[in-house]
Amino acid sequence: MPSPIFLLAIESSCDETSAAVSRDDSILSNLIATQKIHETFGGVVPELASRAHQLNILPIVSEALRVAKVKKNDLHGIAFTRGPGLMGSLMVGASFAKSLAASFSIPLIEVNHMHAHVLAHFIRNEEKEVPPFPFLCLTVSGGHTQIVLVHAPDNLEIIGETLDDAAGEAFDKTAKILGLPYPGGPLIDRHAEHGKPFAFHFKSPHAPGLHFSFSGLKTSIMYFIRDGLKADPDFINKNIADICASVQHTIVHYLMDKLIQASDKYHIKHIAIAGGVSANSGLRNALQELAKQKNWTIYIPPFEYCTDNAGMIAIAGYYKYLNRNFSDLSIAPLAGLPFVS
Ligand code: KG4
Ligand code: ZN
């Protein structure tokens, strides 16, 4: 086993082209090219995303190596996101990673994007404790909402997940209804800061056990806004802060309620959050409050490792490298890559 291990990681599952270079469990560079092109469409346009990845990937990989001060010849492996994600987007990253691994004659390492969100907690950070096993992780992103029971870096089990929309989608679709650009989650967060969380009441969604459902909430927000606009065409402008605060409160309260149930059921008090929505200030505050009440030890990722980034692909790749769990060059990306593959 070489020491230290240098990896190049590539993430291209959705609308972020990202490349990172790692030295063991430390991230030396983590660069992200966010595609602005989707803003006005209210969501990611797959064809445009693939094209943007194609344009971004070479410069972002070169820059990641330059910032890390690591030469191509020093790399021990190439990690890439195999899925889940948008097929065209994944193909760009996978093809690039495969070509590099073949031309440098170094191992190729496939990474599951959802595992990587969780494993981002193991990126070395002198100021942070890493969660001990087993712990629970609420992974909330644009495409997924999962409660994961983490036994080990290579043993992750879903104990609850969404039956329809993801939490991030609930934020983004609300934003779209309010006329805010994509991705709307961060904008709702910003407006919510100035609003009252109990100004408007939305019925908490319902799903059995530790599962989630968000599609009903989206519909009730749509009707609420339609009725508000009928009574006053300026309804959104006048109430945007209160609407955002109330929607955010409903989503966060629902997520926290399921997390409490999971903690009680599995008797685990080490609780982590991950994924894009874990950047939400309402969610972070609610978790901190709960930690005090329930005597939980909580793990909140730094902002740069919440939303999609290649740093998390690098750390997931590092653990696979340690197990010499490499991929064949014939491997293909999978849009619906299962959690356990
Ligand atoms: O993990 P991620 O970058 O991509 C996926 O794997 O889907 O998550 C993106 C999602 C989007 O829905 C975005 O609106 C949401 O994370 N998001 C937020 C915040 N920052 C990002 N949602 C609420 N509040 C935020 N501050
Ligand atoms: Zn993600």
Side-chain angles (χ1 to χ4, degrees), residues 13 113-114 117 141 275-276 306-308 312:
S13 64
H113 182 88
M114 299 314 295
H117 270 302
S141 72
C306 289
T307 43
D308 288 350
M312 69 185 197

Side-chain angles (χ1 to χ4, degrees), residues 72-94:
K72 287 178 280 191
N73 296 344
D74 296 332
L75 293 172
H76 298 106
I78 313 281
F80 75 103
T81 306
R82 185 180 179 204
L86 300 171
M87 193 46 162
S89 294
L90 291 167
M91 296 258 278
V92 177

Side-chain angles (χ1 to χ4, degrees), residues 16 113 117 141-143 168-169 171-172 183-186 189 275-277 279-280 306-308:
E16 255 100 31
H113 182 88
H117 270 302
S141 72
E169 251 174 307
F171 274 104
D172 295 338
D189 193 354
V277 182
N280 183 267
C306 289
T307 43
D308 288 350

